[in-house]
Amino acid sequence: MTLKEQFGKDILLTGWGHTKFGKLTDDTLESLIVQVAGEAIKNSGLEPRDIDEIYLGQFNSGMQPLGFTSSLALQLSADLANVPATRTENACASGSAAFQQGVKAVLAGTARNVLVIGAEKMTDAGADVVGAGLLGASYEMAGKPSTTGFTGLFAEVAKHYGKRYGAGISRPGFEEGLGDVLGSIAAKNHRNGMDNPYAQMHRDFGEEFCRTISEKNPMVAEPLRRTDCSPVSDGAAAVVLSTSATGGATAPVRLAGFGHANDFFPAEKRDPTEFAATRASWERALTMAGVGLDGLDFAEVHDCFTIAELIMYEAMGLTPRGEGARAIQEGWVYKDGKLPVNVSGGLKAKGHPVGATGVSQHVIAAMQLSGTAGSMQLPAARRGVVQNMGGVGIANYVSVLEAL
Ligand code: COA
């Protein structure tokens, strides 16, 4: 049953906004939120008075002085006075948590038009504060000193993966080690980021640089080098959700399916090399949309670290477990491959302002599907998927979006 058959209405993305990601020293959290909220409402053809509810995805966890962020969008217009506004937090998936709450409000009929925003300001704090703040997502690690922050957690995943599947990540003719495979993923996403005007990093490092440990590409937490990590970023994105579009809307895009699944935490009950709940969220979203992988034209996935993108190839069913390397080695996930992954440059090159990421992924996908992605545009993109993850495979959100 499609989303419309199941709920009796369409969910449309009717307008969106996106700041550049990066170290945005001239902006505050408020200025970022107000900017994208204004763009999204204007591009939807609505007025602020038409917005019935606001959801704001933001993680924070002490990276900024605490504030009452849910209401910051109200600074945009006096006509937003009294609009219910709620902040959602689900670690690095806080933006998608806001998106799906917005979807549910429209489906429930308690709101006609919902403004969804994701925002984070990370670069004001020092690296130690950011690292400790991100680890606040784990109640076991919160408050404990860490030199490697979240990189250390994903490095453990990479070590387990390497141990289990070894350097035997191969295709006929040659063998490559895990480090080289991860380097290829980094190089692909950095190359793609060159075409994204919103991206934090416009640097085509190339395969050799990303595969090699050097002074400019040091090990952060073995086996992850600097180029295996997403950067620390500021930024915001917003989208308006409605059941129908006004004439003024840019080019609406339909939500065809969505899924959400959480995994156990702490992780003793889990296999660290498998993102099982990520897979469950994929299956839920694709089943609701009534499509398989072959019905998708692109995917924007959560490559907070390159090892995450590698395991994602397996979670989404592109390859069997342990064989994710084939997806990059055989060219499937490049721009001209059978399923381009992270044409935007992903979190790796675009940046990862934590709470903004999930909303940004939806906005980038909507740009592709409405033919407004500019230099990132894929030819004939009709249906795409967005996957956003909080923690190490803990909070998992997937959306299938399609052109009207
Ligand atoms: N990838 C590639 N290059 C990066 C980079 C990244 N992630 N982060 C910084 N750089 C580059 C900078 O552009 C700069 O280049 P330059 O010297 O040519 O100007 C250089 O590296 C040094 O920048 P700096 O900011 O001092 O780097 P750093 O060593 O302090 O930080 C990381 C690098 C990888 C440690 C940091 O980006 C990080 O902690 N990332 C992970 C964030 C995270 O955990 N997010 C949550 C995920 S779940």
Side-chain angles (χ1 to χ4, degrees):
M1 231 195 309
T2 64
L3 186 147
K4 188 167 187 182
E5 285 163 356
Q6 199 171 330
F7 298 103
K9 56 178 91 168
D10 265 330
I11 299 286
L12 302 181
L13 287 70
T14 57
W16 44 83
H18 203 298
T19 66
K20 187 170 163 38
F21 282 1
K23 189 170 169 57
L24 307 177
T25 42
D26 293 340
D27 278 293
T28 61
L29 189 64
E30 179 180 328
S31 71
L32 293 171
I33 289 172
V34 167
Q35 181 188 325
V36 293
E39 282 174 24
I41 295 173
K42 183 166 178 282
N43 294 336
S44 70
L46 298 175
E47 299 292 335
R49 65 173 173 273
D50 300 318
I51 299 298
D52 302 314
E53 189 151 6
I54 299 170
Y55 286 97
L56 171 75
Q58 197 219 1
F59 174 62
N60 194 334
S61 198
M63 290 184 290
Q64 283 240 312
L66 282 174
F68 206 167
T69 50
S70 56
S71 272
L72 286 180
L74 269 58
Q75 314 305 328
L76 173 68
S77 164
D79 286 341
L80 286 171
N82 301 326
V83 172
T86 305
R87 174 182 155 215
T88 64
E89 190 275 301
N90 226 354
C92 295
S94 297
S96 285
F99 182 87
Q100 290 203 6
Q101 286 309 121
V103 167
K104 287 173 184 172
V106 177
L107 289 178
T110 54
R112 291 160 308 149
N113 305 306
V114 174
L115 172 64
V116 176
I117 304 163
E120 206 78 51
K121 189 93 173 70
M122 301 169 77
T123 70
D124 292 346
D128 50 340
V129 176
V130 172
L134 290 167
L135 278 183
S138 157
Y139 69 80
E140 285 182 319
M141 307 288 283
K144 293 192 181 152
S146 164
T147 49
T148 56
F150 242 81
T151 317
L153 298 183
F154 276 88
E156 286 306 311
V157 172
K159 277 187 204 154
H160 280 290
Y161 189 97
K163 209 171 183 180
R164 176 160 320 167
Y165 300 113
I169 297 165
S170 63
R171 64 174 170 172
F174 71 98
E175 281 213 340
E176 293 181 76
L178 180 60
D180 281 354
V181 170
L182 299 182
S184 295
I185 292 172
K188 167 182 75 72
N189 290 352
H190 274 296
R191 194 172 312 126
N192 287 348
M194 299 290 287
D195 295 330
N196 183 350
Y198 304 100
Q200 175 164 355
M201 303 201 71
H202 288 123
R203 294 170 81 170
D204 186 2
F205 286 117
E207 292 262 335
E208 199 181 329
F209 182 86
C210 294
R211 287 172 163 217
T212 313
I213 299 164
S214 64
E215 196 189 330
K216 284 275 180 191
N217 192 21
M219 195 67 89
V220 179
E222 197 181 351
L224 302 179
R225 298 145 297 204
R226 187 186 276 159
T227 48
D228 292 308
C229 309
S230 55
V232 172
S233 320
D234 306 325
V239 64
V240 172
L241 301 173
S242 303
T243 52
S244 61
T246 68
T250 322
V253 162
R254 181 190 290 122
L255 178 70
F258 61 95
H260 172 196
N262 271 56
D263 212 332
F264 294 107
F265 191 83
E268 282 86 35
K269 292 186 183 173
R270 303 196 287 135
D271 176 346
T273 65
E274 183 191 19
F275 294 163
T278 309
R279 180 155 184 80
S281 60
W282 269 89
E283 282 167 0
R284 284 175 189 166
L286 268 68
T287 301
M288 190 188 287
V291 294
L293 267 187
D294 55 358
L296 301 174
D297 299 313
F298 65 90
E300 286 290 322
V301 309
H302 194 95
D303 59 326
C304 51
F305 298 95
T306 49
I307 182 67
E309 181 166 322
L310 179 65
I311 296 178
M312 220 56 79
Y313 300 153
E314 301 168 17
M316 67 171 94
L318 253 183
T319 75
R321 288 186 58 198
E323 294 180 28
R326 287 183 60 204
I328 183 102
Q329 289 172 337
E330 298 184 17
W332 305 345
V333 290
Y334 286 92
K335 240 178 194 168
D336 57 355
K338 66 178 181 184
L339 184 64
V341 172
N342 285 333
V343 169
S344 68
L347 284 52
K348 172 67 277 227
K350 186 181 58 171
H352 182 26
V354 179
T357 286
V359 183
S360 160
Q361 291 174 308
H362 285 85
V363 169
I364 297 278
M367 288 175 178
Q368 284 290 357
L369 295 166
S370 59
T372 58
S375 45
M376 286 182 279
Q377 187 66 51
L378 288 165
R382 300 289 305 160
R383 194 181 291 117
V385 69
V386 161
Q387 180 270 332
N388 184 201
M389 175 172 86
V392 186
I394 303 285
N396 303 277
Y397 294 83
V398 174
S399 299
V400 180
L401 303 177
E402 59 190 18
L404 281 184

